[in-house]
Amino acid sequence: MIEFRNLTKTYGPTRAVDDVSFSAPPGAVTGFLGPNGAGKTTTLRVLLGLARPDSGSALINGVSYGELPSPRQAIGAVLDAIGIHPGRSGRNHLNVIARAAGLPERRVDEMLELVDLTAAADRKAGGYSQGMKQRLRLAGALLGDPGVLVLDEPANGLDPVGMAWLRQLLTGWAAQGRTVLFSSHVLAEVELVADRFVIINRGRVVREETAAELRGQGTGVTVATPEAVRLTELARQQGWRVEPSRGDRLVIHGASSIEVGQAAARAGLVLSELSAQAPAGQLEGMFLELTAAGAAR
Ligand code: ADP
């Protein structure tokens, strides 16, 4: 569990993080979204004890980073700022972390295998591609088998295959009951994996929502039927609002997809399509609106 309570951090005149409160619960991937300069990295740096807040708190399982008895076993982080010594091999990089944290050496081999760096493990990390460096950082974060994972723009340097792999890993982690907080300025990277979204702009949280809430919001249920007139009539009798849509489809508001399907079945109406999906781009539109210049203040 991660909790931010009224967190504020200023750099001179800049309020990088301004009264931020939100939490990332266990068992879910929380997407932390915002344009460049919104305050994501600063928020995560405070959480990891790398920057001191002016006020407020950032807690991991109820305590601040400095109060964790074994930080590596509680929280793993993938931040750009995590230096990788170019002259050290990937294996050595992980060995140093493992030794400092008192973790068994076998974890190093396991994590190299997990991030697919076994073959390159003894090469100097300076020669690694951006994607390999990101995977090495991830291996470092996972060494202590922590229950909380924080990733700042992890997609940087990953190709689409690497991204798909990362999504699978994060989803699997959340399914095991761990806490995952994942920042990005690219909505598409987060949209496919996050269960919850926290949107930040100019240091302030402007929206916090679950994926289900977002998808259910006023989007309606899309149906296609050869008997549009009868279905329209039926929906109106139920008090639902009907709107025509692309390609002879209807969008029904005020009912769930199950209710629409059941009503159609009872009336013996054939449906060739029934979907509660939000039309593509819905989150994108919201994100752009919320983070447009000046939107937050
Ligand atoms: P994001 O990660 O969302 O791109 P950051 O947290 O990096 O945003 O930055 C938020 C704001 O704080 C920006 O205006 C940035 O210029 C400023 N900032 C971040 N770190 C520092 C620092 N060490 N010194 C001065 N200003 C900083």
Side-chain angles (χ1 to χ4, degrees), residues 55-88:
S55 58
S57 52
L59 306 175
I60 301 147
N61 302 330
V63 299
S64 69
Y65 187 89
E67 294 167 318
L68 290 168
S70 331
R72 283 266 168 203
Q73 272 126 305
I75 183 165
V78 177
L79 297 187
D80 243 3
I82 294 176
I84 296 177
H85 193 296
R88 250 185 217 152

Side-chain angles (χ1 to χ4, degrees), residues 16-296:
V17 178
D18 189 1
D19 198 25
V20 160
S21 297
F22 73 92
S23 54
V29 177
T30 301
F32 189 31
L33 272 169
N36 282 326
K40 303 180 296 294
T41 303
T42 305
T43 304
L44 300 182
R45 284 175 55 84
V46 171
L47 179 70
L48 294 161
L50 300 169
R52 278 176 66 87
D54 295 12
S55 58
S57 52
L59 306 175
I60 301 147
N61 302 330
V63 299
S64 69
Y65 187 89
E67 294 167 318
L68 290 168
S70 331
R72 283 266 168 203
Q73 272 126 305
I75 183 165
V78 177
L79 297 187
D80 243 3
I82 294 176
I84 296 177
H85 193 296
R88 250 185 217 152
S89 68
R91 185 190 304 282
N92 251 332
H93 171 82
L94 296 180
N95 274 334
V96 170
I97 300 174
R99 244 176 270 137
L103 299 166
E105 217 177 301
R106 117 192 107 72
R107 282 294 291 171
V108 170
D109 291 320
E110 286 169 12
M111 290 307 102
L112 284 168
E113 193 65 39
L114 180 76
V115 303
D116 201 15
L117 281 178
T118 303
D122 298 312
R123 277 170 34 203
K124 286 185 178 166
Y128 285 6
S129 68
Q130 280 308 318
M132 289 164 83
K133 284 183 187 158
Q134 254 332 38
R135 284 187 278 136
L136 183 61
R137 287 190 186 96
L138 192 64
L142 300 174
L143 267 179
D145 199 19
V148 178
L149 188 63
V150 172
L151 306 101
D152 192 21
E153 303 272 354
N156 283 349
L158 291 182
D159 60 12
V161 176
M163 256 326 279
W165 167 82
L166 180 65
R167 280 201 295 270
Q168 222 176 4
L169 194 72
L170 300 185
T171 312
W173 264 49
Q176 290 169 4
R178 302 188 206 229
T179 303
V180 182
L181 180 62
F182 162 13
S183 88
S184 178
H185 68 287
V186 183
L187 173 79
E189 288 165 0
V190 172
E191 197 173 9
L192 289 172
V193 68
D195 306 297
R196 307 173 62 258
F197 300 93
V198 175
I199 302 183
I200 184 173
N201 191 35
R202 298 178 169 207
R204 303 196 73 125
V205 172
V206 289
R207 193 86 162 232
E208 191 177 352
E209 204 137 29
T210 66
E213 276 165 1
L214 194 70
R215 296 200 173 97
Q217 254 173 38
T219 55
V221 175
T222 303
V223 282
T225 171
E227 298 170 273
V229 176
R230 279 188 62 210
L231 183 67
T232 303
E233 210 170 281
L234 178 73
R236 289 193 175 136
Q237 282 164 10
Q238 303 280 333
W240 303 332
R241 191 164 60 79
V242 184
E243 213 183 288
S245 181
R246 263 182 304 129
D248 284 340
R249 288 183 182 82
L250 300 173
V251 177
I252 299 179
H253 297 273
S256 69
S257 55
I258 294 173
E259 287 168 329
V260 173
Q262 282 172 340
R266 275 197 303 269
L269 282 177
V270 172
L271 300 184
S272 54
E273 195 180 314
L274 175 66
S275 162
Q277 285 290 311
Q282 149 128 355
L283 183 57
E284 177 97 57
M286 185 183 89
F287 180 56
L288 292 175
E289 204 176 296
L290 288 171
T291 58

